[in-house]
Structures are given as C-alpha cells and as structure tokens.
Amino acid sequence: MTTLERQVVNYLYESLLDRSVDEAGAENSVAYLKAGGTVDDLHSAIVNSAEFKARSNQPKSDHPLSHIPTVWKEDKLSYFTHRGSYRPLSLVIETVNICNNDCIICPYSAQTRRKQYMPLDLFSQAIRQYSEIGGGPVGLTPMVGEVLLDKMLLDRLRILDDSPAVTVVSAISNGSMAYLYTDQQLAEILSYFDRLTISIYGLDREEFSLMTRNDAYDSFRRGLVRILAIMGPDKVRLGARYLRKRPVSEISSWAGRLARDAGIEPEKVQVHGTSSYANWGFFDTSKPLPFDAEWLPVRTNSVQCALPLISAQILSDGTTSFCGCANFDGKSELNIGNIATTSLREMMASDRVRQLWNWTKFGVPEFCRTCSFHLPIDQLDGLSSAYSDPLGTFGG
C-alpha cells in the first residue's frame, strides 16, 4: 500500500466515520481502488455502510441546513457535513484577481479591492483549513481575474496534488494567456487539472473585441488550440459567451475548424453557449448590451439560494465569501471572515453562517435580493450530480 493510497483511504474514514481506518478496512479499500473502483465509488460504499448510517441517525438539529428538508436527506448528509459540522460541497480559491480582459458582462473594472496574487503561504493555509473540514473539490476560478496570469500557479497545483483531501481540481480560464508558457510548461500545468473550462468570448474578432474590450482574438484562439491539443477534449469544456445569436451550423463550423487545428476529431469538440447574462447584483440592466445579447430579467429573490452550498470562495487576500458566485468586491454582507485570522472550521460553525442559511428567519441579504445567479435550493433535489460533482455540474 502506497503512502498516498493510505492517506486517501484514511481521509475518507476520518471524514465520514470520524475514525482512522483499521488494517482490514485499509486493505479492502486499496484492493477496491486497484480493481478499478474510484474514490467516489469508495465514498458511496462507506456512506451505505451500517456504521455510517448509525452515525447519520444521530440528531444534528444544530446543523445550519437541518431545517431545509429537500437537502437534509440521509444520502446527502456526508457531502456537506464533517464530524457533525457544516461544510460547503466545494471550495473556490481566487489566487489572482488580475485579468487581461475587461468584459462588458463582468464587474472586473468595478472592483475597488487591491489587485494582487494570493501569497503562497496563505494558499497553503487555505488548503490545510479546507482539509480540516473534510476537503473535496477545489476550483481555481477567480471571482474576477484570469487563472493563467497567476505567477505561482504551478506551485499551487503541486500543493493541491500533495493534498489527499482534495478530490478534484478545476478552473475556468479565458485561454488567452497560454502564450506565457512553453509547451512543456503548459503541459505540466494542465496535467494537474481534472477539468478546465475555456470561456469563448465570441466567434470572431469583432464580437470578441466588443465583449472583452480587448483586441486579442488571435491570441485567444492560438491559446485555445494549444490547450485542446495538449489536454485533449475529454478534460476541456468550451463555454461560449455570445453577443450575436448564431445558427447551429455556424457554431459547428467554427468548432470544426478549431478541432482541425488542434488535431482532434471534430465530433469531440462541443461548444455550449449563451447570450443572456447575470447582473452580478451590480449592473444597470436598463442599459442594453450590443446586438442580440440581453440581461437576464431582474427579479426579487426570496427563496433560499442553493449556490452557497455548491461552493464558498476565498478571495486573493484571504477574505472568505459565504457564496462563490458574485461577491466580486469582497465587501458585502456575504463575507464570513478571513482565513488569515479565522479558520474555515470556525467560519462554517459561526452564527453568521447559520443566519445566512436561514432567509426565512433572518431575511434575505441585500446583495442577494436581485442577483440573477440565484438558484432556489429546492432545484437541487433533481440534480444528484450537484452533490458528487458540484463544480462540474455548475460549470466550474
């Protein structure tokens, strides 16, 4: 049994059963993994064991989600509970809040916080604290920024690779900054990711320029071709942001040319896109977007939102946001602390998190009232993959 195998198995036992693995359990678990079973399969096997069910039946009325019946179900508890305490399904860490683009649908230029790289020791602290509350998937998508601009990205990926409590590593990138790396460097960086989503800002130079306020379409496309050629289509997702409504034939033709240049079979390159955009709780949606693009309708949210369960987010200075979707300036009532002074364990057990998980009793946070990212928590009931693969389900 390798040291890493032992660490992974022991992590699952400590996280789910609150005890170290015994020798028999360790041998059976490693044999299961070597026979082709995945870590998720092993997780499911432990959750379905009599020992876990006996622990799950213990009252947890103090858990901040125990009052939400569509979430508080026996087969889901292990995903958002560690030793009886709440944890989000995943963690997103913004290692850099600097971007090469200034997209008209992103509040990047409106942020007033300092633009910086997260210090490496602070990043290591974040991973240690996340492991202490059970770990799970980690996303490196900046709240606002570009992950490939992170000068310490490779060091961070190595830290994640050495952390058995981190199960999946993913990110969203605009791909344009791939030119900063040689093929060898880019290949090493990409090897650590289980999934990378590339945001496509238009299918031609005009659309790209209007969307990003940056005349770098050719650089973007070259970067995308390199990433696809190195990483392969199975681990690269393509998410298009359109200003024009385009026929399927035009999108397929663009994807076919991309596949040809990357040396990939055309049918393996799929482009999923939208021309409707969220307001980030910030944009004046009365001001129209170019061409066919439109803002999502403004609404007043009152039902508890599911997105804070999908992920919390640590910003580049260590500020931690209850929700990973829209707290772009790190100054809203969604802030729950800073990992430099308060551990994630303390934050997740805080009265503030309990209040944020109970809109009925404590009211809707002002920042969330008109946010068009809002997803009613009842909608998770039909999305089983949201629990086992939260960032993959929601595009992170």
Side-chain angles (χ1 to χ4, degrees), residues 152-177:
M152 293 173 279
L153 179 58
L154 189 53
D155 293 325
R156 302 187 205 276
L157 290 168
R158 288 169 178 161
I159 290 171
L160 291 171
D161 193 51
D162 287 338
S163 304
V166 174
T167 57
V168 175
V169 178
S170 62
I172 299 175
S173 166
N174 63 45
S176 298
M177 307 313 293

Side-chain angles (χ1 to χ4, degrees), residues 18 82-87 128-134 339 342-350 353:
D18 199 16
H82 181 253
R83 299 185 176 180
S85 298
Y86 167 72
R87 65 171 181 181
R128 285 196 302 272
Q129 292 183 16
Y130 186 45
S131 298
E132 288 170 358
I133 63 169
I339 59 168
T342 307
S343 71
L344 283 174
R345 183 186 297 279
E346 292 172 303
M347 291 184 212
M348 297 306 159
S350 67
V353 163

Side-chain angles (χ1 to χ4, degrees), residues 151-302:
K151 297 177 181 179
M152 293 173 279
L153 179 58
L154 189 53
D155 293 325
R156 302 187 205 276
L157 290 168
R158 288 169 178 161
I159 290 171
L160 291 171
D161 193 51
D162 287 338
S163 304
V166 174
T167 57
V168 175
V169 178
S170 62
I172 299 175
S173 166
N174 63 45
S176 298
M177 307 313 293
Y179 79 88
L180 294 173
Y181 306 95
T182 66
D183 284 347
Q184 182 178 355
Q185 291 170 330
L186 188 59
E188 184 176 3
I189 286 171
L190 296 178
S191 71
Y192 289 105
F193 284 99
D194 296 284
R195 179 182 59 253
L196 189 66
T197 300
I198 303 297
S199 294
I200 299 168
Y201 294 112
L203 301 189
D204 56 40
R205 291 180 184 82
E206 179 190 28
E207 192 173 20
F208 182 92
S209 179
L210 281 171
M211 178 70 83
T212 65
R213 292 185 276 216
N214 186 4
D215 188 20
Y217 176 79
D218 292 339
S219 177
F220 149 72
R221 196 178 184 284
R222 285 193 297 268
L224 177 53
V225 167
R226 289 179 66 207
I227 290 170
L228 268 174
I230 293 171
M231 199 172 185
D234 293 336
K235 291 188 175 183
V236 178
R237 294 182 180 179
L238 304 179
R241 309 289 182 262
Y242 301 122
L243 293 178
R244 299 182 186 277
K245 290 185 178 178
R246 297 178 180 272
V248 173
S249 59
E250 186 176 354
I251 298 171
S252 297
S253 178
W254 187 91
R257 294 192 298 272
L258 179 67
R260 177 201 64 202
D261 292 348
I264 295 170
E265 297 175 22
E267 60 270 18
K268 291 190 174 182
V269 177
Q270 302 293 320
V271 180
H272 304 280
T274 186
S275 58
S276 300
Y277 302 102
N279 61 15
W280 288 79
F282 165 78
F283 284 109
D284 180 358
T285 58
S286 67
K287 297 180 179 179
L289 291 166
F291 303 131
D292 305 313
E294 58 187 5
W295 296 109
L296 290 169
V298 176
R299 54 193 176 189
T300 301
N301 302 316
S302 58

